[in-house]
Amino acid sequence: MERIPILRMGSFLLVTIQVDMHDRLAMTLQEDLTRKITETGARGVMIDISALEIVDSFIGRMMSHISSMARILDATTVVVGMQPAVAITLVELGLSLKGVHTALSVEKGVRYLEQSATSRGGGRINGRRSR
Amino acid sequence: MERIPILRMGSFLLVTIQVDMHDRLAMTLQEDLTRKITETGARGVMIDISALEIVDSFIGRMMSHISSMARILDATTVVVGMQPAVAITLVELGLSLKGVHTALSVEKGVRYLEQSATSRGGGRINGRRSR
């Protein structure tokens, strides 16, 4: 079965999207990714879309969904490598990629995730407040 | 035009192969990769094949070619994430992946490349001997 590989790099996960996404593939990716976050305790997810020349509302929504799911599992998501034409199309389509952070390159994405992990603190339970 | 993205991670490059390779795509990848190595001065190349369920002689040869080209440009190549079934097929096909190093995961691949870069020394001209 077709799957998009999820690579572990330290405390982050990297997903490179190269193929046309369809419903089932997107579902599988979301399932694989959430499972992998819990398995590895990853603090961040990078989605590389440098291969995509077109980002439609379906992929836009998928990225928002992944970002929201990851956030619940205490991981930050950053989309890296967006082509200029894709940014133009997204704005023209009125897609704001709500809640999705972006970075120009993987290296900048890693830096963003590291800062984000540091500012959230080291523990996975720092979201809890004592009463 | 279809391209396989090459991601820069520090002094290494990462290529994730997810799609069926055909002649032109393989040629483009080799060109892009050699150009990127010279542009970035990368010391290592990781080729992730965890998405591949089949590696035929064509892909095997492509990996050997990339590895040889990278070596001339003073970069080490490591193939990561090979599925067990692929290893079995390779041996059955009599493909030995000559000159190609392998590692089970990206993290192990990075460790191998780091050790390899250290043992070769920091400079890009360490291959030259003084007379």
Side-chain angles (χ1 to χ4, degrees):
Chain A
M1 201 186 130
E2 202 185 10
R3 271 171 195 280
I4 293 178
I6 299 166
L7 306 180
R8 185 179 178 178
M9 297 164 40
S11 53
F12 308 128
L13 301 176
L14 173 68
V15 181
T16 312
I17 296 178
Q18 298 173 18
V19 292
D20 283 337
M21 298 298 290
H22 48 76
D23 275 12
R24 187 131 52 97
L25 193 57
M27 286 293 286
T28 312
L29 176 61
Q30 289 173 17
E31 279 164 24
D32 288 354
L33 202 52
T34 44
R35 202 183 53 240
K36 199 104 174 188
I37 292 173
T38 48
E39 270 175 21
T40 61
R43 304 301 311 270
V45 175
M46 267 182 298
I47 306 176
D48 169 65
I49 57 165
S50 57
L52 298 186
E53 286 172 3
I54 297 163
V55 168
D56 55 11
S57 60
F58 176 70
I59 297 189
R61 216 162 37 233
M62 186 196 73
M63 292 193 294
S64 291
H65 278 183
I66 287 177
S67 176
S68 305
M69 289 177 209
R71 197 177 310 121
I72 295 172
L73 297 168
D74 197 23
T76 311
T77 304
V78 59
V79 171
V80 301
M82 189 184 290
Q83 292 187 21
V86 168
I88 294 171
T89 317
L90 282 176
V91 172
E92 280 173 354
L93 283 173
L95 296 170
S96 59
L97 291 186
K98 232 175 158 180
V100 178
H101 294 277
T102 51
L104 282 183
S105 66
V106 172
E107 287 180 312
K108 285 180 184 166
V110 168
R111 229 169 299 147
Y112 171 77
L113 288 179
E114 277 168 356
Q115 283 169 2
S116 164
T118 313
S119 67
R120 282 181 300 151
R124 292 187 69 78
I125 51 163
N126 67 322
R128 285 191 204 155
R129 298 231 178 106
S130 53
R131 303 189 179 213
Chain B
M1 202 185 130
E2 204 185 8
R3 273 172 194 281
I4 294 179
I6 299 167
L7 305 181
R8 186 179 179 179
M9 295 165 40
S11 53
F12 308 128
L13 301 176
L14 174 67
V15 180
T16 312
I17 296 179
Q18 297 175 18
V19 292
D20 283 338
M21 296 300 289
H22 48 76
D23 275 12
R24 188 131 53 95
L25 194 57
M27 286 293 287
T28 312
L29 176 61
Q30 289 173 18
E31 280 164 24
D32 288 354
L33 202 51
T34 45
R35 204 185 50 240
K36 199 105 173 185
I37 291 172
T38 49
E39 271 176 20
T40 61
R43 305 301 313 268
V45 175
M46 266 183 298
I47 305 176
D48 170 66
I49 59 165
S50 57
L52 298 187
E53 286 172 3
I54 298 164
V55 168
D56 55 12
S57 61
F58 176 71
I59 296 190
R61 217 162 38 235
M62 185 195 75
M63 291 193 294
S64 290
H65 279 184
I66 286 177
S67 177
S68 305
M69 289 179 210
R71 197 178 308 120
I72 296 173
L73 297 170
D74 196 24
T76 311
T77 304
V78 60
V79 170
V80 301
M82 190 184 288
Q83 292 188 20
V86 169
I88 295 170
T89 317
L90 282 176
V91 172
E92 281 174 353
L93 284 173
L95 295 171
S96 60
L97 290 187
K98 232 175 159 181
V100 178
H101 295 276
T102 51
L104 282 183
S105 65
V106 173
E107 286 180 311
K108 285 180 183 165
V110 168
R111 230 171 296 147
Y112 171 78
L113 288 179
E114 277 167 355
Q115 283 169 2
S116 165
T118 312
S119 66
R120 282 181 299 150
R124 293 187 71 79
I125 52 164
N126 67 319
R128 286 191 204 155
R129 295 228 181 108
S130 52
R131 305 188 177 211

